Amino acid sequence: MNKIIQEFINNSHSEDVLQELYGISSKEHFDCVFVAPSWPIAKIFGTGQDNISELYQDRFSKSFKIKNGSKTYLYIQLQVGAPNIADFCLSCYRLNCDKYVFIGSAGSLVPEINIGDIVIPETAISGTGATLYLHEQLDKENLFEKTHSSPELNTVLRNICNDLELTVKQAVPISVDSIFCEYQHLDEFRSMGARLIEMECATFFKAIKMIEKQASAILLVSDNSASGQHLVGQSQELRTKYHSVRSQLQNILLNI
């Protein structure tokens, strides 16, 4: 077992930290966990669905069970930011589930990746402080490390997208701690190889790897700083395209 997780266990009196913090029993089986730091479940699955039941809600998180035929999924909405992702993912070390998919939006840093594009990244760059704590020793040299998703789960997602005739692009996101401050550093991020920007993906990949599970991500491009297509003041045409693609994400998720 990872030493960081073992130290938590040694210093915690909880029999099931996932249950105590997030209202989810580690004994319950899920075919896949969908981790959404900013999207309420209605953004993906709509409202009034008989196959969706709420498991837990507090001011920090909301979790739902989704039934689809013989499969059961967990959808959890967390507060934004890498620390919230790290704590949830590590709390899943005993959860009866092997597949975890991060879903969220990302900004494009290059003109060729457009609003409404779907990206399933193989690699992410961590510009977040939270990822540093996923090492046994704190070392500033680990800032901007590359973290990796699961090739096997990536292939599953890409095959589903192909079956649904959805185009998937490949790009490296960088995860950062501040939206306000990111604009001063966009050229630096591009020089590192980043083509997308968001806040949690890199930490998600590393934390899930620590609990020896499979991690992948579906990022939907919401804005493009390289083309001057910012979140505020977008045309109705671009917003319609973005929401149209997002409405199809449930068809990907429910086929995992």
Side-chain angles (χ1 to χ4, degrees):
M1 179 178 292
N2 180 276
K3 289 184 179 179
I4 292 174
I5 298 173
Q6 188 61 60
E7 281 300 316
F8 175 85
I9 295 171
N10 294 342
N11 289 276
S12 170
H13 300 291
S14 172
E15 293 186 3
D16 190 345
V17 65
L18 190 65
Q19 177 76 64
E20 293 189 16
L21 294 181
Y22 302 98
I24 303 163
S25 172
S26 291
K27 296 180 181 179
E28 188 161 3
H29 170 73
F30 297 101
D31 291 280
C32 190
V33 174
F34 309 137
V35 180
S38 59
W39 286 348
I41 192 169
K43 295 284 187 181
I44 308 297
F45 294 96
T47 58
Q49 301 277 7
D50 293 336
N51 63 328
I52 298 176
S53 56
E54 184 177 290
L55 293 177
Y56 183 76
Q57 178 178 169
D58 63 18
R59 59 196 178 101
F60 302 111
S61 69
K62 298 178 182 179
S63 57
F64 302 85
K65 181 191 294 187
I66 303 170
K67 295 288 293 183
N68 186 49
S70 62
K71 293 187 176 181
T72 304
Y73 305 98
L74 172 67
Y75 185 105
I76 181 159
Q77 180 192 353
L78 300 167
Q79 291 186 320
V80 298
N84 297 303
I85 290 288
D87 284 350
F88 171 75
C89 291
L90 297 184
S91 297
C92 292
Y93 70 96
R94 290 173 52 201
L95 181 62
N96 186 10
C97 181
D98 293 325
K99 299 182 179 68
Y100 296 74
V101 176
F102 177 95
I103 54 174
S105 58
S108 175
L109 299 176
V110 292
E112 62 268 22
I113 299 178
N114 302 305
I115 293 174
D117 283 347
I118 295 173
V119 177
I120 299 175
E122 297 174 359
T123 302
I125 301 169
S126 176
T128 71
T131 313
L132 296 177
Y133 287 84
L134 301 180
H135 292 268
E136 293 177 15
Q137 300 292 327
L138 292 175
D139 187 340
K140 63 179 183 290
E141 297 299 322
N142 289 322
L143 188 61
F144 303 117
E145 71 173 301
K146 291 183 178 180
T147 67
H148 305 280
S149 54
S150 163
E152 296 82 5
L153 188 51
N154 290 343
T155 297
V156 170
L157 291 178
R158 290 195 190 99
N159 288 340
I160 294 170
C161 289
N162 289 337
D163 290 342
L164 296 171
E165 299 183 345
L166 295 172
T167 300
V168 174
K169 292 189 175 180
Q170 180 55 237
V172 176
I174 185 167
S175 303
V176 300
D177 282 327
S178 171
I179 296 174
F180 192 100
C181 299
E182 68 183 40
Y183 299 100
Q184 173 64 24
H185 305 284
L186 295 184
D187 286 339
E188 295 173 82
F189 298 151
R190 293 186 189 100
S191 71
M192 297 176 191
R195 296 296 177 261
L196 299 173
I197 189 165
E198 49 78 64
M199 301 187 75
E200 304 96 357
C201 190
T203 303
F204 174 80
F205 288 165
K206 190 170 186 69
I208 293 299
K209 186 175 182 179
M210 285 174 60
I211 63 171
E212 300 179 345
K213 311 285 189 177
Q214 296 181 51
S216 188
I218 300 173
L219 301 179
L220 180 59
V221 177
S222 59
D223 58 282
N224 189 317
S225 59
S227 302
Q229 299 169 334
H230 303 292
L231 278 172
V232 179
Q234 280 184 8
S235 69
Q236 185 59 45
E237 180 182 1
L238 288 175
R239 297 308 298 166
T240 299
K241 177 183 178 184
Y242 174 80
H243 289 298
S244 175
V245 176
R246 187 168 66 177
S247 70
Q248 301 182 66
L249 293 185
Q250 67 168 304
N251 297 323
I252 302 173
L253 300 175
L254 295 180
N255 278 287
I256 298 175

